[in-house]
Amino acid sequence: MQQKLAILWHGYVAVRFNSLPRNLRGGLWILGGGIFFTIMVTLIKIVGEDVSIFQILLVRQLTMTAVVMPAIAANFPDALRTNIVGLHSMRVALALVAMIAGFTAVIHLPLAEATTLSFAKSIFVTLFAVWLLREHAGRRKWLAVLLGFVGVIVILKPDVAGLNVYALLGILSAAAAGCVMILIRKIAQVDRPVTILAYQAFMVGALMLLPAIYFWVPPTPLQWLFMVAIGLLAVTSQFANIQAYKVGEASSIAPVDYVRLLFAGAIGWVVFHESPQIETILGAALIIAASLITLRPQPPETTPR
């Protein structure tokens, strides 16, 4: 009886959810993915106080691989067939740079500040799209790039004492992540998603194995639990984002992701007793404004008659 009631309840919820407008559903998926991602980086910040980032990434990747392995196995060996191994390798290498630098920044910076710096990714996507894909960027997008970098400089707070190395790592992570998005756009034109997934699953785990062994620290049972949870949360947040962009318009739902700043600020205040500085708030406003400008459709150019 209880099982039938559960099935009826889940069916009712699914029907009600699917009856919502597409952009509202996409926004809710983005919101859910943001919650899972923020919890994931919170656990990384906690575990990273005693465990190396390489070890965290290895366990995270093994957990993610175990989850997606059925999809890879169902398409084996076709999932590994590609003529662009070099692009896959470059994409994985840059993804590793983004994760190592970004998660290191998360561990050592206030959570809201590290989250804000990660949003600079959209600025780098514009730059790399112009440079590598030869996409056109009008005056508005160049204004957005300039505005975004001003926001980054505000957060970095350069002075005679120098720059915060962990903030610089956050910027490096955003740049590498932006380049990864451009490479995925190129790779997706040639290979299937399952092939992209397979190369990431195997190559990231292989590259993390030796550093993780070298810096290995025996985890406590709670740390093991947290590291496995980090992998599960990573898969869940990625799935939520995929679902979001399947049902919603990118320009309409992407801004919802900035709610992560509120989650990060709240968790940083409650869990880590962090208070966002005025520079972080101002820089976040500039970076978000710049990102919103890049999301708006580019008006068609008019030629004089």
Side-chain angles (χ1 to χ4, degrees):
M1 183 62 179
Q2 290 180 343
Q3 186 177 6
K4 290 182 178 180
L5 288 174
I7 293 174
L8 288 172
W9 169 249
H10 288 303
Y12 171 77
V13 171
V15 170
R16 292 288 294 176
F17 183 78
N18 290 328
S19 67
L20 297 174
R22 294 178 66 89
N23 282 339
L24 178 56
R25 278 185 283 152
L28 290 173
W29 277 117
I30 288 280
L31 192 64
I35 293 173
F36 292 128
F37 186 85
T38 306
I39 296 173
M40 182 194 76
V41 296
T42 300
L43 295 181
I44 289 173
K45 190 173 180 68
I46 293 172
V47 178
E49 294 178 355
D50 303 301
V51 176
S52 79
I53 191 65
F54 304 107
Q55 192 171 334
I56 295 172
L57 282 174
L58 176 64
V59 177
R60 174 184 182 268
Q61 190 60 37
L62 290 175
T63 303
M64 294 177 68
T65 301
V67 173
V68 302
M69 187 55 72
I72 296 174
N75 292 272
F76 190 83
D78 291 341
L80 297 179
R81 288 176 181 162
T82 180
N83 294 321
I84 50 172
V85 176
L87 281 181
H88 282 287
S89 302
M90 189 183 304
R91 182 243 168 173
V92 168
L94 285 166
L96 275 177
V97 171
M99 286 188 288
I100 293 171
F103 292 161
T104 301
V106 163
I107 292 169
H108 295 280
L109 291 176
L111 199 57
E113 183 174 332
T115 302
T116 299
L117 291 173
S118 72
F119 288 134
K121 174 178 65 178
S122 61
I123 311 303
F124 287 105
V125 168
T126 300
L127 288 175
F128 292 139
V130 172
W131 178 33
L132 298 175
L133 300 182
R134 299 291 187 260
E135 291 185 3
H136 172 72
R139 286 179 295 180
R140 196 181 67 217
K141 285 199 172 183
W142 284 120
L143 173 64
V145 170
L146 178 61
L147 194 64
F149 276 114
V150 170
V152 168
I153 292 171
V154 169
I155 295 173
L156 288 176
K157 303 184 291 291
D159 55 28
V160 292
L163 297 172
N164 186 326
V165 65
Y166 298 115
L168 291 175
L169 285 176
I171 298 301
L172 174 63
S173 174
C179 198
V180 166
M181 293 186 70
I182 298 299
L183 287 174
I184 287 177
R185 192 181 302 178
K186 291 178 70 71
I187 293 170
Q189 295 174 2
V190 180
D191 287 340
R192 296 179 299 163
V194 68
T195 303
I196 299 173
L197 197 66
Y199 275 91
Q200 176 176 338
F202 297 131
M203 294 178 74
V204 171
L207 290 171
M208 282 295 96
L209 184 59
L210 289 179
I213 292 174
Y214 183 81
F215 292 103
W216 188 267
V217 175
T220 65
L222 183 61
Q223 288 170 341
W224 272 116
L225 178 64
F226 281 179
M227 287 191 290
V228 172
I230 286 167
L232 295 175
L233 287 164
V235 172
T236 306
S237 64
Q238 288 179 13
F239 173 79
N241 277 279
I242 290 170
Q243 291 296 111
Y245 287 100
K246 280 177 64 177
V247 300
E249 299 171 341
S251 60
S252 297
I253 66 176
V256 179
D257 193 38
Y258 294 115
V259 177
R260 279 201 289 127
L261 270 175
L262 299 179
F263 298 150
I267 291 177
W269 181 60
V270 173
V271 178
F272 304 107
H273 309 293
E274 300 168 347
S275 297
Q277 298 181 349
I278 186 63
E279 293 89 347
T280 301
I281 296 172
L282 180 58
L286 291 170
I287 291 172
I288 290 173
S291 300
L292 292 177
I293 291 173
T294 63
L295 284 170
R296 289 184 57 194
Q298 186 79 6
E301 293 188 355
T302 58
T303 54
R305 294 182 179 181

